[in-house]
């Protein structure tokens, strides 16, 4: 007989889901990701009462630290970066569960000690053998670490009821082949249901709201197709440069870093058909359908653009160009700006190009999806009255200033009939809680609960690479032939002329986000 | 804040529009109207609570002070927007005959289409849904722990007149306790044979928690007294041993369960803005509260 908890009631929506007894093992505790995102998110979860009693956090790094030193690092990170207020009793609940294991990733003794630490926690803190391994480390080490986890019996839990999960961050490879290799490494140790790939964009409230907006309302879906939509622009712009990440960024570039994961995921949410339900499997099926219907234009030289930022003035500060950044070779052809045109070969989207662009050192930090509609087929108003009227547009602002803008024409007050664009604005922060949870809180909780809808599966990752690989190869071929190099654009502007030309060829232009 | 003396609903409404225009017609995105029925002496504090809660739920907040019902009718109001509010606010003082017809002032000031919530921080009418102001709202929030008269009976009175849309903050206060207890039974698939709730002598929250446990688990629940603060211990008896949560200081609790070490867990008593914000998150009927209220009334009859 299956057990039903008498205290649970599907109608009781006040009760939050609290993760069962478990612990998290964090590899790479000194990195920015751990300090700025993961540790504060864990504290915020505890503060909201969503972590189980006895939750434990084990740090693993090549540092000569004791448990207290690690606790101090977490304490500092929580104090500076946590979203919610610092409360002593919450800290006390967490603090007893901090452990630190010093060692290298290939150090057998350290992994033995890690196993003993976990077993000790199961006894002392009642974590019941449930542990997630968070690999906040460069992907080059994934193989070594998961191999060690397997070898030291850490990859499968002690009992039938306990679980072991692994969490990895992008990049998921640098092309299809390496993505498959990476997946083989992980899949050789963990089952596919136990591998959680974090694309933090999918944890954002506004991204999840795309699905709510499309499928919970009646007024958007009827026009969400090639009959009404002219084209779609998806933009993720950063105002910063590569900072100190030259080692990581050189050779990777904007397309691999952003388009392959964030932008293609956004595109699949915007373009997908209605899933049969909102469980992980149904969502994955629909996203996979979109990704496998993507067709690249024939002439990649005319429908893609790539560029590097040149020195210039960004937001009132003089900044260096990409090739002058420390650690970047003068001859580097890594792009810091990439724009691509994609077609989706389905009845819904035939003839509607999706323009995806991303770049560093652009005008401002902004991510948004713009659905640009066709012009009205007939205007009863004279040409002069509609001169200022452009296309209707629906803009989903992902960050910052989350919300939705609807642009349409309206009569200018006065005796003449003059029609001009106006905006109708919905600000997420204005209508709902001002402190919506960080994407990482949601995602870490989902890992601990074993709830996978918001994590991309390896099939999606591989399909994304299949879309991007021909473009990357085309660029590599141009480089090899010495025919074309990445263009350059002045820092603090909205990208290279070649990207503008790319849209101009289709008779369109980029929105200013 | 603009002071309007000897005024009416239409003048208050046009003051709202004027204030909004003055602020440059910002998109307000107000999601509801919240009516707060309050006494003059605590009006300032209660409006501050409503202001905090309105950060999460931008609302038009209408504070209504019901004064002396004798004499000539007079409506005075302070109207404003901004200044820490995420929506609009008016504090309306009624005197004289109009005190018996407060809905006539409030009705024209409700935002179109959006829901209406009403909150009595101290002594609510016995049957809130049939109160002239309560009838305007689909969510009626009382606070039995804030009652000044008959505190021991307040929650029972509210449960007896339960109508769809009613809740009491005593119920909100026990959400974290209920979450932990439910999570405990997610882990331990044990048959619960009995339960006990220990709290201050007068604790509406403890009464509700006992009723909820009794209703869901179908076991007798013992109510024990302690010196507080609030609820200090909940124990579920099982054949395998007791599952317990005890909290002596109102902040940090100890969670114990069979076969596991005792562990600390943060379980802080929450303040009013947080409680009110939780209430406003759901504007439909709370079915579980309805069942619990029914159970509490039944238990009261037997006792």
């Amino acid at each position: 007989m299956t057990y039903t908890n008498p205290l649970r009631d599907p109608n009781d929506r006040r009760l939050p889901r609290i993760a069962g007894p478990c612990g998290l093992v964090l590899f790479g505790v000194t990195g920015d990701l751990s300090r700025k995102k993961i540790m504060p998110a864990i504290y915020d979860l505890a503060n909201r009462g969503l972590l189980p009693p006895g939750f434990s956090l084990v740090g693993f790094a090549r540092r000569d630290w004791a448990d207290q030193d690690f606790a101090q690092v977490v304490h500092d990170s929580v104090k500076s970066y946590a979203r919610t207020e610092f409360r002593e009793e919450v800290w006390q609940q967490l603090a007893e569960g901090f452990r630190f294991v010093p060692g290298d990733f290939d150090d057998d003794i350290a992994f033995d000690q890690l196993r003993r630490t976990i077993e000790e926690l199961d006894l002392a803190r009642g974590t019941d053998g449930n542990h997630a391994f968070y690999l906040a480390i460069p992907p080059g080490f994934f193989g070594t670490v998961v191999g060690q986890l397997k070898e030291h019996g850490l990859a499968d839990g002690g009992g039938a009821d306990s679980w072991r999960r692994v969490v990895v961050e992008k990049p998921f490879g640098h092309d299809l082949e390496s993505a498959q290799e990476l997946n083989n490494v992980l899949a050789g140790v963990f089952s596919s249901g136990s591998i959680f790939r974090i694309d933090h964009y999918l944890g954002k409230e506004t991204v999840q709201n795309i699905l709510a907006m499309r499928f919970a309302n009646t007024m958007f879906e009827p026009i969400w197709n090639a009959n009404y939509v002219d084209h779609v622009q998806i933009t993720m712009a950063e105002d910063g440069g590569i900072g100190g990440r030259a080692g990581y960024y050189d050779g990777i570039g904007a397309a691999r870093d952003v388009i392959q994961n964030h932008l293609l995921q956004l595109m699949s949410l915007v373009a997908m058909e209605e899933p049969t339900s909102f469980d992980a499997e149904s969502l994955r099926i629909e996203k996979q359908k979109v990704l496998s219907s993507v067709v690249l234009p024939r002439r990649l030289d005319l429908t893609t653009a790539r560029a590097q930022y040149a020195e210039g003035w960004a937001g009132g500060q003089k900044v260096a160009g990409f090739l002058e950044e420390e650690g970047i070779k003068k001859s580097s052809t890594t792009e810091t700006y990439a724009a691509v045109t994609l077609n989706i070969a389905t009845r819904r989207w035939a003839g509607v190009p999706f323009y995806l662009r991303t770049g560093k050192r652009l005008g401002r930090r902004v991510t948004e999806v713009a659905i640009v509609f066709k012009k009205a087929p007939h205007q009863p108003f004279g040409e002069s009255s509609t001169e200022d009227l452009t296309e209707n547009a629906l803009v989903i602002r992902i960050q910052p200033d989350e919300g939705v803008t609807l642009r349409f024409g309206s009569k200018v007050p006065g005796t003449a009939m003059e029609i001009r664009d106006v905006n109708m604005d919905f600000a997420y922060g204005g209508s709902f809680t001002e402190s919506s949870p960080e994407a990482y809180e949601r995602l870490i909780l989902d890992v601990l609960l074993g709830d996978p809808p918001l994590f991309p599966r390896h099939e999606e990752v591989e399909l994304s690479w299949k879309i991007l690989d021909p473009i990357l190869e085309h660029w590599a071929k141009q480089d090899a032939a010495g025919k074309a190099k990445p263009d350059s654009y002045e820092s603090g502007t909205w990208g290279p002329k070649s990207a503008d030309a790319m849209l101009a060829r289709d008779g369109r232009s980029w929105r200013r986000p | 804040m603009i002071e309007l003396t000897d005024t009416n609903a239409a003048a208050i409404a046009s003051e709202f529009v004027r204030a909004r225009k003055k602020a440059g017609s910002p998109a307000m995105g107000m999601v509801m109207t919240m009516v707060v029925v309050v006494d003059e002496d605590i009006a300032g504090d209660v409006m501050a609570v409503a202001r905090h809660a309105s950060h999460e739920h931008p609302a038009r907040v209408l504070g209504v002070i019901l004064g002396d019902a004798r004499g000539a009718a007079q409506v005075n109001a302070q109207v404003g927007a901004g200044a820490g509010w995420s929506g609009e606010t008016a504090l309306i003082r009624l005197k004289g005959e109009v005190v018996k017809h407060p809905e006539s002032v409030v009705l024209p000031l409700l935002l179109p289409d959006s829901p209406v919530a009403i909150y009595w921080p101290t002594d609510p009418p016995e049957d809130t849904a049939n109160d002239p102001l309560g009838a305007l709202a689909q969510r009626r929030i009382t606070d039995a722990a804030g009652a000044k008269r008959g505190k021991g009976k307040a929650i029972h009175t509210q449960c007896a007149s339960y109508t769809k849309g009613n809740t009491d903050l005593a119920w909100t206060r026990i959400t974290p306790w209920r979450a932990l207890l439910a999570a405990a039974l997610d882990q331990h698939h044990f048959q619960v044979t009995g339960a006990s709730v220990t709290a201050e002598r007068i604790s509406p929250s403890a009464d509700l928690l006992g009723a909820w446990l009794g209703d869901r688990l179908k076991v007798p629940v013992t109510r024990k007294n302690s010196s507080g603060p609030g609820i200090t211990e909940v124990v579920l008896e099982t054949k395998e041993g007791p599952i317990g949560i005890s909290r002596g200081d109102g902040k940090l609790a100890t969670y114990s369960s069979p076969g596991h070490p005792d562990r600390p867990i943060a379980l802080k008593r929450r303040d009013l803005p947080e409680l009110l914000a939780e209430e406003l998150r759901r504007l439909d009927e709370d079915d579980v509260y309805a069942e619990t209220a029914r159970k509490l009334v039944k238990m009261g009859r037997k006792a």
Side-chain angles (χ1 to χ4, degrees):
Chain A
M1 205 182 82
T2 51
Y3 168 84
T4 39
N5 182 347
L7 296 182
R8 289 256 178 231
D9 181 338
N11 289 328
D12 199 344
R13 287 167 308 163
R14 278 173 202 263
L15 294 194
R17 301 174 304 165
I18 300 180
C22 61
L24 187 74
V25 181
L26 187 55
F27 290 90
V29 293
T30 48
D32 266 9
L33 175 66
S34 294
R35 285 189 313 110
K36 290 189 180 162
K37 296 289 182 190
I38 302 172
M39 293 171 184
I42 287 170
Y43 172 83
D44 289 329
L45 282 173
N47 199 356
R48 290 162 65 207
L50 300 177
L51 288 185
F55 176 83
S56 305
L57 180 67
V58 182
F60 187 104
R62 193 178 53 197
R63 282 285 194 291
D64 194 15
W65 285 350
D67 294 346
Q68 314 71 291
D69 303 319
F70 176 54
Q72 190 58 44
V73 170
V74 183
H75 188 267
D76 293 346
S77 123
V78 167
K79 280 258 173 165
S80 349
Y81 300 108
R83 181 176 64 86
T84 55
E85 126 197 61
F86 187 86
R87 298 200 331 231
E88 202 48 48
E89 69 273 11
V90 177
W91 180 251
Q92 273 177 37
Q93 173 193 338
L94 283 175
E96 285 180 22
F98 292 136
R99 300 287 184 279
F100 186 77
V101 178
D104 279 317
F105 296 145
D106 53 5
D107 182 349
D108 286 328
I109 299 167
F111 275 82
D112 264 337
Q113 200 197 328
L114 179 61
R115 198 190 59 234
R116 282 196 302 275
T117 306
I118 285 180
E119 286 163 357
E120 181 260 322
L121 284 172
D122 287 346
L123 285 178
R125 301 275 293 169
T127 40
D128 285 358
N130 302 319
H131 296 275
F133 300 98
Y134 201 128
L135 309 186
I137 52 175
F141 294 112
F142 287 180
T144 321
V145 172
V146 296
Q148 288 278 40
L149 291 175
K150 187 181 186 177
E151 201 182 313
H152 293 269
L154 287 155
D156 46 310
D161 296 334
S162 63
W163 50 258
R164 296 289 157 94
R165 297 180 184 134
V166 66
V167 187
V168 294
E169 290 263 348
K170 68 157 196 181
F172 312 123
H174 53 86
D175 58 12
L176 178 59
E177 203 185 320
S178 59
Q180 281 168 337
E181 265 168 41
L182 179 67
N183 184 56
N184 289 341
V185 165
L186 295 172
V189 179
F190 292 93
S191 69
S192 70
S194 306
I195 303 172
F196 290 78
R197 292 172 190 78
I198 287 205
D199 184 332
H200 67 268
Y201 258 64
L202 298 184
K204 285 188 183 295
E205 290 286 338
T206 30
V207 173
Q208 295 165 44
N209 192 39
I210 294 177
L211 296 177
M213 198 177 89
R214 287 192 56 197
F215 301 122
N217 297 306
T218 42
M219 57 194 236
F220 301 115
E221 210 48 26
I223 53 168
W224 212 263
N225 54 49
N227 294 335
Y228 295 94
V229 176
D230 181 68
H231 68 282
V232 177
Q233 297 185 10
I234 304 180
T235 306
M236 178 178 156
E238 290 170 86
D239 52 3
I242 57 163
R245 294 166 73 224
Y248 163 77
Y249 203 81
D250 196 19
I252 295 284
R256 287 189 177 96
D257 190 36
V258 174
I259 295 184
Q260 186 271 336
N261 35 61
H262 305 325
L263 295 195
L264 284 176
Q265 283 287 336
L266 276 179
M267 186 193 79
S268 47
L269 292 176
V270 169
M272 74 183 192
E273 299 297 321
E274 183 173 89
T276 47
S277 80
F278 278 88
D279 58 39
E281 189 58 20
S282 318
L283 279 174
R284 185 179 60 78
I285 290 172
E286 295 306 331
K287 284 200 278 180
Q288 234 170 293
K289 265 165 63 188
V290 173
L291 291 172
S292 44
S293 347
V294 169
V295 183
L296 293 179
R298 211 169 46 81
R299 292 282 304 270
L300 289 178
D301 53 335
L302 300 179
T303 53
T304 66
R306 57 175 176 147
Q308 298 168 331
Y309 58 82
E311 66 164 16
W313 287 83
Q317 274 174 332
K318 194 163 166 52
V319 294
F322 177 66
L323 297 177
E324 287 99 57
E325 297 272 13
E326 209 182 303
I328 300 290
K329 270 194 253 126
K330 286 269 178 280
S331 57
S332 171
T333 56
T334 302
E335 81 281 0
T336 65
Y337 177 99
V340 300
T341 310
L342 303 178
N343 298 311
I344 299 178
T346 61
R347 176 172 284 229
R348 188 193 278 263
W349 294 117
V352 179
F354 282 69
Y355 301 110
L356 277 50
R357 63 171 162 170
T358 181
K360 292 192 177 292
R361 284 268 187 254
L362 294 180
R364 69 184 180 101
R365 175 174 159 265
V366 60
T367 303
E368 52 187 42
V369 177
I371 319 285
V372 181
F373 292 94
K374 292 182 169 158
K375 287 210 170 199
H378 166 74
Q379 275 294 1
F381 305 104
E383 216 171 274
S384 62
S385 4
T386 54
E387 233 169 343
D388 284 338
L389 178 68
T390 62
E391 301 88 2
N392 295 160
L394 181 78
V395 182
I396 304 169
R397 305 192 304 268
I398 308 288
Q399 71 170 17
D401 183 26
E402 295 89 343
V404 180
T405 303
L406 189 60
R407 184 177 71 194
F408 57 96
S410 181
K411 183 184 174 301
V412 181
T415 47
M417 178 51 86
E418 201 182 321
I419 296 164
R420 189 191 288 169
D421 284 342
V422 292
N423 285 322
M424 195 156 80
D425 205 42
F426 158 66
Y428 218 77
S431 290
F432 295 106
T433 152
E434 58 172 345
S435 54
S436 64
E438 260 278 330
Y440 273 91
E441 281 172 58
R442 171 71 195 263
L443 294 174
I444 290 173
L445 181 63
D446 281 359
V447 169
L448 301 179
L449 290 164
D451 199 13
L454 299 178
F455 301 88
R457 291 268 302 234
H458 76 93
E459 292 93 334
E460 294 166 51
V461 173
E462 287 171 17
L463 280 169
S464 305
W465 282 120
K466 275 187 195 158
I467 296 169
L468 207 57
D469 272 357
I471 297 174
L472 296 170
E473 275 161 29
H474 165 75
W475 288 343
K477 233 183 273 168
Q478 283 187 329
D479 288 339
K483 258 202 276 178
K485 283 194 317 181
D487 299 310
S488 74
Y489 58 100
E490 201 181 314
S491 287
T493 64
W494 281 112
K497 295 222 164 51
S498 55
D500 296 340
M502 166 184 140
L503 257 72
R505 275 181 214 113
D506 293 351
R508 301 186 176 101
S509 62
W510 291 108
R511 296 178 55 253
R512 180 163 45 75
Chain B
M1 283 285 181
I2 302 286
E3 294 276 352
L4 301 174
T5 40
D6 212 355
T7 182
N8 58 26
I12 298 173
S14 54
E15 192 52 49
F16 276 139
V17 175
R18 198 167 15 228
R20 206 183 311 172
K21 273 201 181 145
K22 216 170 106 188
S25 299
M28 306 278 267
M30 286 183 291
V31 293
M32 69 172 89
T33 310
M34 180 159 72
V35 182
V36 184
V37 186
V38 65
D39 287 339
E40 184 70 64
D41 54 334
I42 55 163
D45 295 341
V46 172
M47 290 304 271
V49 168
R51 186 174 64 223
H52 273 285
S54 80
H55 277 279
E56 185 169 323
H57 310 275
R60 175 178 282 183
V61 180
L62 305 172
V64 179
I65 299 173
L66 300 173
D68 190 344
R70 284 168 300 184
Q74 195 181 14
V75 179
N76 297 331
Q78 290 172 310
V79 184
W85 291 84
S86 60
E88 298 164 334
T89 170
L91 186 60
I92 304 164
R93 291 186 171 81
L94 304 180
K95 267 194 296 200
E97 236 185 314
V98 69
V99 169
K100 290 184 187 131
H101 309 281
E103 75 282 9
S104 70
V105 182
V106 171
L107 179 79
L109 296 175
L110 302 179
L111 288 172
D113 271 354
S114 50
V116 180
I118 183 165
Y119 167 48
W120 287 274
T122 50
D123 298 281
E126 278 189 14
D127 184 355
T128 53
N130 282 318
D131 174 78
L133 281 175
L136 294 176
Q138 62 257 66
R139 278 292 274 116
R140 290 168 292 271
I141 302 160
T142 52
D143 186 0
K148 291 178 184 161
R149 302 180 295 266
K151 202 170 174 179
K153 270 181 59 191
I155 189 68
H156 297 269
T157 311
Q158 285 308 319
C159 285
S161 68
Y162 174 82
T163 309
K164 186 176 171 241
N166 290 13
T167 53
D168 194 280
L169 292 185
W171 175 246
T172 328
R173 287 188 182 93
I174 57 174
T175 303
W177 287 89
R178 297 196 303 121
L180 275 178
L181 292 166
L185 291 193
D186 282 340
Q187 286 316 309
H188 303 287
H189 301 182
F190 299 157
Q191 178 77 37
V192 179
T193 53
S196 72
V197 177
T198 311
E200 286 173 56
R201 195 177 61 78
I202 293 179
S203 167
S205 291
D207 295 347
L208 284 173
L209 187 56
W212 178 67
L213 287 172
D215 186 51
R216 304 296 310 183
L217 298 171
K218 317 284 180 225
V219 296
V221 181
T222 329
R223 173 76 166 79
K224 298 177 188 165
N225 290 338
S226 71
S227 55
I231 299 173
T232 50
E233 188 172 48
V234 180
V235 178
L236 305 180
E237 299 290 349
T238 74
K239 268 195 218 97
E240 288 78 1
I243 298 171
I245 303 169
S246 67
R247 178 188 72 179
D249 62 355
K251 277 185 186 164
L252 190 67
T254 306
Y255 172 83
S256 49
S257 61
H260 284 85
D262 287 0
R263 285 155 289 178
I265 179 118
L267 195 64
K268 192 180 185 294
R269 306 184 78 191
R270 296 180 296 168
D271 50 15
L272 278 173
E274 218 177 312
L275 297 171
L276 197 57
E278 177 183 319
E279 271 327 290
L280 298 178
R281 241 165 260 163
R282 307 224 177 279
L283 297 169
D284 53 344
E285 180 175 20
D286 186 336
D287 301 319
V288 181
Y289 177 69
E291 284 162 25
T292 306
R294 238 171 272 141
K295 175 78 180 178
L296 187 68
V297 172
K298 228 186 277 171
M299 284 163 64
R301 253 186 242 133
K302 272 187 211 151

